[in-house]
Amino acid sequence: MGIATLPDIQRWKGLGSSMGEILRVQNLSFRYPEAAKFAVRDFELTIKGGEIVILAGPSGCGKSTLLRAVNGLIPHMYTGEYLGSVSVGDHKVSEARMSELAQTVGLLFQNPENQIFMFSVERDIAFGLENLAVPPDEMRTRVDEAMRQLGITDLAQRAPHELSDGQKQRVALAGVIVMRPRLIILDEPTSLLDPKTAVELVELVRRLRDETGITFLIVEHRLELLVRIADRLVVMSEGRKVLDGGPEEVLADERAAAYGISIPPISRLRNQLKRDGLPLENGFGPDDLAEELNREALGR
Amino acid sequence: MYWVAGGFIFRRVNSPFHSLDPRVKLLVSAELFVVSLTAYSVTQLAVVMAVMLSIAAVSKILKRVGRTLIFSAGFSVFIFVINLLASHSLLTSAVYSVRFLAIIISTSLFFITTSPDELEQVMKSAHLPRDVVFAFTTAVRFIPVLMLDAIQIVDAQKSRGLEVEKGNLIRRVRKMVPVLIPLVVNSVIRSGELAEAMESRAYGAVSKPTSLHSYSSTKRDKLVAAGSLILFIITVYIYVRFPTPL
Ligand SMILES: Nc1ncnc2c1ncn2[C@@H]1O[C@H](COP(=O)(O)OP(=O)(O)OP(=O)(O)O)[C@@H](O)[C@H]1O
Ligand SMILES: [Mg+2]
């Protein structure tokens, strides 16, 4: 069994940018049994270690299906017509066991409530490690470390029904982080959060990436929040990848809106100003734009 | 509704009884159960009740035990009436109905003071299959979630004009349909997502999973276990040797 032991921590930290490719989806097509259409079609995607990649697209376009194919639920739990291949780290997803994949890819589902099993926060975080028969001492250290990273140490003894939505999500995320995955997938992580908590989550993702080098693949509709920390924006439509690039260029692309992507207001403003002939560079926050406009004004 | 739900939700309390090894709590509870079941006189029942209520007091759970008793009161009255009709003896009927309450208290002592984590531990040490234990703990974990679901659905349907409290019994049952259907649908969706999350977190990877917490009996646990066993044997001896009239 490929269970990470203590000396592995060092290796695990600072993985990422030095790692090269972490995910490779090659020509993937998948059709659920008895479904008429392929949910994902001819999909190509490579992600480098340490990147934060956003996956966007209209409802039903196959985002969750793609995520399942990356973490192994497809084809290990969902059978169906499967073409092409997916590799994560050193594993070929269709051939690796779920227990190996669980230590390479972590998936955070949309509703954190349904991924917390145990009666106390710390027991739940330990769930994956217990399943891998990690010795209790090492488990203790890793659980404590995960709680510290997510700032939930004081919740250790709480029961799930005593937590707010934001806290539940952190607990669920801790349960994923504790497995020391190299890639973490978040499926619409902000959809159940209020704006303030959502912003905190985005900051948390950025911090985790910077501290641990973990790669993030995030399905999200609230682009204005995430686009600031993203390295790439991938747009999907009807099972296919239709746009892929730096978030600024993808958001500047005329086609993005046509694919049902809601362009954040600040990007719309920027695009408009560019069309009006202002030579703007790319940046995201209102501050960036203000600064550029100031510079522009002084330059004239 | 919340009040009912509260009765099922475990709360952590610091008490000398709560902190016992769950297996010892189970033993004590089982002993009290037998002693309640076999008590046949007012004096015996009074003593057993007094012992159990003192344990409840020490465990700071008198209120919750009281709540359980209120729930069982209806059934206890029913037992009383049936026995009264059958035996025409007030005393016998009283003994039967109080004995029923004693049995309820003896079992609730265990369930009120034992966290789901500890229950899981007890089940594991009884060598129940992992899947059975997990199904049980998950069920307990989701009781509050489902209760909240139900409350929210009732509220939502009420705001659309459903009047749950009105009408005769059949009508009321019929009115539960718009509540039950979304509840069932919710639960099915939930269980699908749970299955995905289990798979994603390596459930079933090894046949013997480890546990974050290890429970070991302390000297105190052993003392309590031994002491309660001795008391139990003495009580049974007294029951048999010195039968008292009702
Ligand atoms: N378990 C399943 N069995 C059969 N078909 C499914 C299943 N899950 C999803 N589908 C179908 O596959 C297609 C893609 O669904 P998917 O859930 O991947 O979309 P999505 O982009 O995640 O949508 P959303 O934004 O609403 O979450 C849809 O047509 C959907 O109906
Ligand atoms: Mg989805």
Side-chain angles (χ1 to χ4, degrees), chain A residues 35-55:
Chain A
K37 286 201 285 183
F38 276 84
V40 167
R41 273 181 266 180
D42 306 321
F43 209 90
E44 295 278 341
L45 180 68
T46 34
I47 297 183
K48 290 205 294 281
E51 275 189 309
I52 296 179
V53 178
I54 301 178
L55 180 65

Side-chain angles (χ1 to χ4, degrees), chain A residues 32 39 58-65 68 78 188 221:
Chain A
Y32 288 100
S59 180
C61 72
K63 302 181 296 291
S64 299
T65 307
R68 286 182 184 136
Y78 291 91
E188 305 195 27
H221 293 294

Side-chain angles (χ1 to χ4, degrees), chain A residues 16-235:
Chain A
S17 46
S18 59
M19 276 303 299
E21 217 169 86
I22 185 100
L23 172 70
R24 176 181 283 261
V25 180
Q26 278 176 304
N27 214 8
L28 177 76
S29 298
F30 181 79
R31 189 166 60 87
Y32 288 100
E34 278 144 60
K37 286 201 285 183
F38 276 84
V40 167
R41 273 181 266 180
D42 306 321
F43 209 90
E44 295 278 341
L45 180 68
T46 34
I47 297 183
K48 290 205 294 281
E51 275 189 309
I52 296 179
V53 178
I54 301 178
L55 180 65
S59 180
C61 72
K63 302 181 296 291
S64 299
T65 307
L66 181 72
L67 301 186
R68 286 182 184 136
V70 173
N71 106 314
L73 288 173
I74 293 173
H76 294 291
M77 188 169 148
Y78 291 91
T79 51
E81 201 174 334
Y82 185 97
L83 303 167
S85 79
V86 180
S87 312
V88 189
D90 310 324
H91 299 292
K92 187 164 180 203
V93 170
S94 58
E95 284 160 16
R97 280 181 299 168
M98 276 310 277
S99 57
E100 290 170 328
L101 290 171
Q103 296 168 74
T104 315
V105 199
L107 179 51
L108 190 77
F109 297 87
Q110 195 167 355
N111 188 350
E113 185 85 78
N114 297 341
Q115 46 198 314
I116 298 178
F117 301 106
M118 290 299 168
F119 204 73
S120 70
V121 164
E122 59 174 19
R123 268 304 293 288
D124 187 77
I125 296 173
F127 181 74
L129 300 180
E130 292 186 354
N131 289 333
L132 294 170
V134 171
D137 289 348
E138 187 194 332
M139 192 143 53
R140 186 74 255 170
T141 338
R142 284 170 67 169
V143 168
D144 287 345
E145 187 190 63
M147 289 196 293
R148 221 173 22 250
Q149 279 178 321
L150 296 193
I152 51 173
T153 308
D154 50 330
L155 305 180
Q157 302 303 331
R158 293 266 189 100
H161 58 84
E162 297 167 336
L163 302 172
S164 71
D165 285 340
Q167 288 170 332
K168 276 181 201 156
Q169 192 170 44
R170 277 174 190 243
V171 171
L173 190 54
V176 166
I177 293 256
V178 84
M179 306 289 273
R180 305 222 166 103
R182 293 163 62 183
L183 171 65
I184 292 182
I185 303 176
L186 310 175
D187 197 351
E188 305 195 27
T190 68
S191 61
L192 300 176
L193 303 182
D194 60 80
K196 186 165 161 285
T197 322
V199 170
E200 283 168 9
L201 178 84
V202 170
E203 281 312 312
L204 179 69
V205 167
R206 191 215 303 258
R207 189 166 57 76
L208 285 174
R209 193 273 305 267
D210 293 347
E211 281 175 10
T212 62
I214 296 177
T215 311
F216 283 89
L217 173 59
I218 309 173
V219 166
E220 191 52 80
H221 293 294
R222 277 170 156 173
L223 289 178
E224 59 272 39
L225 288 181
L226 271 151
V227 102
R228 298 175 204 180
I229 63 162
D231 299 303
R232 259 165 78 197
L233 176 57
V234 175
V235 179

